[in-house]
Amino acid sequence: MNAPVSIEVLKQHLIDPEICIRCNTCEETCPIDAIQHDDTNYVVMPDVCNGCMACVPPCPTGAIDNWRTVLKADAWSVDEQYTWDVLPEQGTMALPATAGPATGAMTGGSDGDGEAQGIEVDTVRGAVVPPWSAARPYVNLYTHRNPTKATVVGNYRLTDEGTESDIHHIVLDFGSLPFPVLEGQSIGILPPGSAADGRAHHARQYSIASPRDGERPGYNNVSLTVKRVTQDYRGNAASGVCSNYLCDLKKGDVVNVIGPFGSTFLMPNHPDSHLLMICTGTGSAPMRAMTEYRRRRRLKGATGKLMLFFGARTKAELPYFGPLTNLPKDFIDTNLAFSRTPGERKRYVQDAMRERAVDVAQLLRDDGTYIYVCGLKGMEDGVLQSLKDIADQHGLEWNALWQRLKREGRLHLETY
Ligand code: NAP
């Protein structure tokens, strides 16, 4: 007599290389290090992924949310995934009648519908849901395969000449093409040319620095805040492919754009909601967008408070210094932290937050407060620690509050 054959079936987690913008969010989010990348693709290790779904909501494009049901023995290896330009179709899988029950690693898959089920909020540090009143974002209207074009209508340096930080404000106009965006979303720019392996450069992601109704109200345009990259992460000389391309663009040049991306790092729309914004350097882009939207709405009766903590090396290297410091004090409570002012002690945003602990605590106590953190990866620990210290000092139990902020879409982190 034949013994029953037990065949293991796997709901294999895959990343769509055509949509992925290589932002590294999934790799950073994965609590069990099941995601890795090379110069071409981000891939999921089939024998490590447990389908916890922690990586799905933070992915700005939805490229992460792809699943194929395969025999476990036939799962695509990471080496195979590295060679892909497109995802394989779901094949038909003939199982012998005697096959045992499916024992795939997946437990909470969303079947590509983009909706995460049963996510353990504890595994991620920020919210995986938008504020309840956020407007509904459009995502992936344009992809690597069908990018759209925008014309450069402005490109100027934001930081003082002579400083090391060459940060540009770049305005892109879409003319009559639809490109609806919300504050907090990002777009991808496809730089011309190809990488060392001969493949076209993949897109680089930039947060939008302008509000939904345009850099100039009523125009179909967006602005970006781009720092020219001249060093790699070790400090060796290196020329950033896309940042140099963008910073050198002239008025009238045409760029290939994909996106928009992002469906959680969005601002609340109810007019009495408060924004606590914490950023460093070019991480100010979404804060500028939100602030400007609120400034325009304030004229129409928005009453919520805005508190900003903004860190840069020096005053001369802080993007938007002039316009920011000209905003009325009763509209936005701005706190700057400079780390490299000659003759002064190093000061980070988290130091400035501690100095304003009473007011930060008041915002933390208020259910209408939404917190946004954007900028250097390194700031995340320091900022979360200062929020914890401030909460604890003021009788708020941080761990419970942190979980609630995440559940209610009130703590958003975007750091690179
Ligand atoms: P930067 O000039 O290198 O740094 C800005 C400030 O942050 C400096 O004062 C720096 O101090 C300080 N800093 C360094 N480590 C810190 C820490 N652990 N905690 C708090 N502050 C710290 O910044 P940048 O080059 O503009 O980089 C901004 C980051 O934002 C980039 O990683 C970028 O990818 C990211 N981002 C950009 C966008 C965009 O749209 N362009 C959007 C989202 C995020 P030191 O003097 O110690 O260096």
Side-chain angles (χ1 to χ4, degrees):
M1 204 173 81
N2 289 334
V5 184
S6 175
I7 294 183
E8 284 195 283
V9 174
L10 175 71
K11 201 162 177 190
Q12 186 170 4
H13 187 190
L14 300 170
I15 298 173
D16 189 335
E18 279 192 290
I19 298 179
C20 172
I21 50 173
R22 283 81 176 163
C23 66
N24 207 47
T25 305
C26 54
E27 193 170 315
E28 280 169 21
T29 313
C30 179
I32 53 167
D33 295 332
I35 298 175
Q36 59 182 39
H37 71 278
D38 69 0
D39 288 343
T40 56
N41 288 345
Y42 275 72
V43 299
V44 185
M45 286 178 256
D47 46 342
V48 181
C49 176
N50 62 6
C52 75
M53 303 293 285
C55 59
V56 172
C59 170
T61 65
I64 193 83
D65 199 11
N66 283 282
W67 312 86
R68 298 285 184 273
T69 306
V70 295
L71 294 179
K72 203 169 181 183
D74 293 342
W76 288 286
S77 68
V78 294
D79 288 338
E80 283 172 288
Q81 295 176 51
Y82 278 136
T83 66
W84 290 348
D85 291 321
V86 292
L87 269 189
E89 294 293 323
Q90 171 67 64
T92 47
M93 198 183 48
L95 294 182
T98 47
T103 57
M106 271 300 304
T107 50
S110 68
D111 280 323
D113 61 4
E115 206 169 286
Q117 297 153 15
I119 293 164
E120 190 39 74
V121 185
D122 277 349
T123 57
V124 281
R125 303 175 104 189
V128 296
V129 290
W132 67 264
S133 63
R136 203 191 150 129
Y138 287 92
V139 293
N140 294 335
L141 291 178
Y142 302 96
T143 63
H144 281 91
R145 200 183 266 183
N146 70 329
T148 190
K149 291 193 187 302
T151 306
V152 178
V153 292
N155 183 358
Y156 55 89
R157 185 171 167 141
L158 291 168
T159 42
D160 284 8
E161 293 292 340
T163 58
E164 204 185 303
S165 306
D166 182 9
I167 302 180
H168 283 236
H169 182 70
I170 299 168
V171 186
L172 300 176
D173 193 280
F174 293 95
S176 57
L177 291 164
F179 205 99
V181 296
L182 292 173
E183 306 76 17
Q185 283 196 294
S186 55
I187 63 172
I189 301 290
L190 290 169
S194 49
D197 64 1
R199 293 182 189 213
H201 287 300
H202 57 75
R204 306 300 202 272
Q205 186 190 4
Y206 296 92
S207 295
I208 293 160
S210 49
R212 64 190 78 180
D213 55 342
E215 170 68 17
R216 189 168 166 194
Y219 281 70
N220 188 18
N221 58 17
V222 301
S223 62
L224 307 177
T225 315
V226 182
K227 182 175 179 181
R228 189 187 292 278
V229 174
T230 54
Q231 291 181 342
D232 65 15
Y233 66 96
R234 288 193 204 92
N236 300 322
S239 181
V241 170
C242 199
S243 66
N244 281 278
Y245 164 66
L246 285 171
C247 288
D248 291 337
L249 286 170
K250 307 270 176 303
K251 248 179 159 176
D253 285 346
V254 173
V255 292
N256 285 315
V257 182
I258 64 174
F261 308 122
S263 51
T264 57
F265 194 108
L266 301 174
M267 67 186 292
N269 264 342
H270 50 299
D272 55 347
S273 52
H274 312 302
L275 307 182
L276 174 55
M277 301 175 281
I278 304 152
C279 62
T280 53
T282 54
S284 54
M287 314 311 182
R288 179 184 185 269
M290 293 185 191
T291 302
E292 181 57 14
Y293 183 65
R294 269 298 172 88
R295 195 186 67 79
R296 291 178 193 175
R297 259 195 94 176
R298 188 186 185 219
L299 309 171
K300 299 179 192 151
T303 53
K305 293 191 187 100
L306 274 68
M307 190 174 200
L308 171 71
F309 291 91
F310 190 169
R313 295 173 185 184
T314 61
K315 178 181 151 197
E317 290 175 271
L318 185 124
Y320 308 112
F321 181 81
L324 184 59
T325 48
N326 284 336
L327 290 170
K329 303 260 173 303
D330 65 343
F331 165 61
I332 183 166
D333 181 348
T334 299
N335 301 267
L336 305 179
F338 299 119
S339 58
R340 301 190 198 183
T341 305
E344 288 181 18
R345 76 179 168 84
K346 198 176 190 71
R347 212 159 146 266
Y348 280 166
V349 278
Q350 50 270 39
D351 303 316
M353 289 167 68
R354 287 200 170 83
E355 288 162 20
R356 297 291 311 276
V358 173
D359 299 295
V360 173
Q362 197 179 336
L363 283 175
L364 287 180
R365 215 172 268 126
D366 192 320
D367 289 350
T369 298
Y370 292 75
I371 306 171
Y372 299 86
V373 181
C374 188
L376 294 167
K377 186 85 223 156
M379 74 187 287
E380 212 175 284
D381 284 345
V383 167
L384 287 173
Q385 186 62 46
S386 76
L387 287 172
K388 173 179 166 29
D389 294 345
I390 292 168
D392 290 349
Q393 282 159 16
H394 291 81
L396 297 159
E397 210 282 291
W398 170 247
N399 280 330
L401 177 60
W402 189 13
Q403 297 309 324
R404 197 152 68 80
L405 288 169
K406 288 194 282 181
R407 260 196 324 274
E408 295 174 1
R410 297 202 288 124
L411 174 63
H412 297 274
L413 310 174
E414 193 160 288
T415 58
Y416 300 103

